[in-house]
Amino acid sequence: MTLTARTGPADRTGSAEPPGETAPWEGRPLTDHWDTVRALVRDAHPRQAKPASGDGDPAGFAPDGELPALDGPLRGYLAAAGTRVTRLPDHRGVRWQLFDHCAVAGSRTAQPDAALLLVARAVQHTRRTGRRIALLAPSSGNLASTLRDALLRAHRYGLVHPDQVRVVALVPAAARHQVADSPLARHSELRRRNPLVVHHGAEPGSVHELAAAYCRAHARALRTGTGTALWYVRDPVEHRAAAALRAFVEQDALGAAPAAGRVHAQTADTGSAVLGHRAGSALAADGAPDAAGPRPLLVQQPRTCGLVLHLLTGSCSREGAPRYRYDAARRLHHQAAGSPDPHFPRTAHHPEEVVEPAFFTRAPGTAPEVSALLRAHGGTGIVVSRYECLARYPSLRALLAPAGVALPADPARLADWSLVMALTGALNAAERGLSAGPEVVVHRTAAHGAADRAPVPGALARYADSADELHAVLTGALDDRRRSR
């Protein structure tokens, strides 16, 4: 693969300056390294001999891995993605950096990079084939918001007509409040074409089961009746391609890593970002045999800690989790006395509590690959509880303020806990001796304020708890002979 020439800011090495004396580094990694991104996605999805027009199995349809060439409109479209690197105060003699992937003004929900790539890939499909395409995206509320925002940007910059590419976001009921209101909800025709579908399942992850069942039962009839190819989006390569650029950001903003490598702390659901970051490090090193790659520190919550469990026990089963005793007086659960497992919370409100609903995958299929990567490259994982996050919350507000990240004074107004989880996990890991090194990088991938953007009103959403109900919604969205309700 040929690396692109970097068109962003000049390299800056070292981190010797104390916080407050070094200006933050800002860059646009998607546009700076667009040819590398195109190559990563194309290599994962080689072009077929015939255009992927949807003539194969409708249930397994996916477009070729082609992305558009970079031009003026596409550059404007991609400008929604950017990263700011800011020095945080040192902790116990270790340098700390914040990689803020939500730094671009207007990026008020979550890191938009993967969503921008998904929509751009759909755009290129329609350009090549002339066929319409609809993305069926079961996801957390954050990803649903970024996909819907990316589609609006594609309209705004003239990349595609609203009729050609549509997004059907399928979210668990617990995550509906995380889907930001926008013209896709307020404009009646855009709302019909791009419905937000809410699912009341026993588990948040059942949105994936519903999407898979729907494709098996109805994808062929949907394509026959509407002429639209349905792309069921699941753990797409675009997530890994976007995460690969973190290695280039690290290189551009911080220079070469110390010999011991940098610890990269991030919350994780399936670990796709960790896998992508490692692949990007190999590209950024450009064959240098002694280049120090990232040392991942995965941070998870008690309810969905499958990656940490698999790393430690070889299985995602909760049988490998430590036992807790209940303290009725304080209404808290504590690890049993003796030798507590430092990878798990010492104290929690519940042994299987949810800290951030956006993470709902309990047994990710990527677990073996992630475990192998962590073992090979000095990584580890840690689980944090809401109790631990709340205990550190005042100090985290003070820690982040100089970096321009203002956590709300009242934790109840925190709409996304992922950054608080990542920082709590990184600090716990350092203090418990789980991770050691001269430098720690914490990744922020989601915004946090409940007041940043209002959610889509419930009355403007659609609801589906079965494949047949979802078929009625999709038929209404894709059959233009129907009128908006």
Side-chain angles (χ1 to χ4, degrees):
M1 182 182 299
T2 302
L3 296 182
T4 61
R6 180 175 49 81
T7 57
D11 287 342
R12 196 179 70 188
T13 59
S15 297
E17 303 88 346
E21 296 184 13
T22 303
W25 178 96
E26 295 186 1
R28 295 284 196 276
L30 276 185
T31 50
D32 292 348
H33 302 283
W34 182 243
D35 285 345
T36 297
V37 175
R38 294 181 76 196
L40 284 167
V41 177
R42 183 172 56 246
D43 289 352
H45 298 281
R47 178 179 292 189
Q48 301 173 11
K50 294 182 179 180
S53 59
D55 292 333
D57 178 11
F61 167 77
D64 292 333
E66 294 294 322
L67 292 170
L70 188 62
D71 56 14
L74 185 65
R75 190 179 292 273
Y77 167 78
L78 296 174
T83 298
R84 179 187 295 124
V85 179
T86 307
R87 179 82 180 272
L88 297 175
D90 291 356
H91 179 68
R92 297 191 174 187
V94 175
R95 295 187 299 273
W96 286 62
Q97 309 278 355
L98 176 67
F99 278 27
D100 188 350
H101 304 291
C102 305
V104 175
S107 177
R108 306 300 294 274
T109 51
Q111 181 179 359
D113 304 51
L116 292 168
L117 294 180
L118 283 164
V119 172
R121 186 172 156 200
V123 166
Q124 185 65 9
H125 169 80
T126 65
R127 290 177 177 178
R128 286 188 58 232
T129 67
R131 302 285 189 94
R132 298 191 314 183
I133 184 172
L135 286 69
L136 175 59
S139 66
S140 68
N142 282 339
L143 179 58
S145 281
T146 57
L147 272 173
R148 290 162 64 84
D149 285 350
L151 184 61
L152 283 173
R153 290 186 70 84
H155 297 170
R156 185 178 308 133
Y157 286 93
L159 301 186
V160 70
H161 189 275
D163 176 59
Q164 291 297 100
V165 176
R166 310 186 187 194
V167 170
V168 180
L170 178 61
V171 302
R176 184 188 63 79
H177 70 282
Q178 293 181 320
V179 184
D181 199 3
S182 76
L184 282 192
R186 295 293 176 172
H187 186 284
S188 61
E189 188 61 13
L190 290 177
R191 181 172 67 245
R192 179 187 70 81
R193 291 173 171 174
N194 305 279
L196 169 64
V197 187
V198 178
H199 174 56
H200 295 88
E203 289 281 344
S206 62
V207 291
H208 288 282
E209 298 171 8
L210 176 58
Y214 174 81
C215 289
R216 289 191 300 268
H218 296 290
R220 185 174 299 278
L222 185 75
R223 189 177 68 189
T224 301
T226 67
T228 303
L230 186 67
W231 177 15
Y232 169 25
V233 179
R234 45 195 159 180
D235 196 24
V237 69
E238 285 78 7
H239 285 294
R240 299 195 189 194
L245 297 185
R246 296 179 181 182
F248 294 91
V249 170
E250 179 179 5
Q251 186 180 73
D252 294 348
L254 303 180
R262 293 187 177 99
V263 174
H264 283 260
Q266 55 201 294
T267 50
D269 190 40
T270 65
S272 290
V274 175
L275 298 170
H277 189 178
R278 183 64 210 181
S281 295
L283 292 175
D286 200 16
D290 55 349
R295 295 172 50 205
L297 171 62
L298 298 187
V299 182
Q300 295 196 286
Q301 63 187 355
R303 180 68 170 174
T304 55
C305 57
L307 294 176
V308 175
L309 285 168
H310 192 279
L311 173 68
L312 300 177
T313 69
S315 168
C316 295
S317 170
R318 290 201 62 84
E319 291 298 317
R323 299 293 180 259
Y324 286 78
R325 59 176 179 82
Y326 182 57
D327 180 349
R330 299 182 62 196
R331 297 184 179 180
L332 293 172
H333 293 258
H334 305 282
Q335 276 201 55
S339 301
D341 188 331
H343 295 273
F344 290 86
R346 305 270 174 85
T347 300
H349 293 116
H350 191 278
E352 293 190 43
E353 69 185 6
V354 173
V355 182
E356 171 47 56
F359 305 119
F360 55 64
T361 307
R362 303 191 69 176
T366 51
E369 188 179 3
V370 172
S371 292
L373 184 149
L374 295 179
R375 295 190 187 101
H377 299 288
T380 190
I382 191 168
V383 181
V384 298
S385 66
R386 183 178 288 263
Y387 177 88
E388 292 175 325
C389 290
L390 289 171
R392 289 196 184 269
Y393 193 82
S395 61
L396 297 185
R397 288 191 73 225
L399 179 75
L400 290 168
V405 178
L407 296 180
D410 181 1
R413 295 190 57 77
L414 195 66
D416 187 282
W417 284 79
S418 58
L419 177 58
V420 172
M421 286 175 59
L423 281 164
T424 299
L427 290 166
N428 286 354
E431 293 169 5
R432 297 174 190 174
L434 295 179
S435 65
E439 196 162 4
V440 174
V441 173
V442 178
H443 292 266
R444 179 194 184 209
T445 57
H448 49 264
D452 282 348
R453 284 178 67 175
V456 174
L460 300 183
R462 303 296 301 273
Y463 296 84
D465 292 332
S466 68
D468 289 342
E469 290 178 350
L470 185 56
H471 186 54
V473 173
L474 279 165
T475 301
L478 304 183
D479 187 349
D480 289 338
R481 295 169 295 183
R482 301 189 176 200
R483 293 293 181 185
S484 59
R485 53 185 183 131

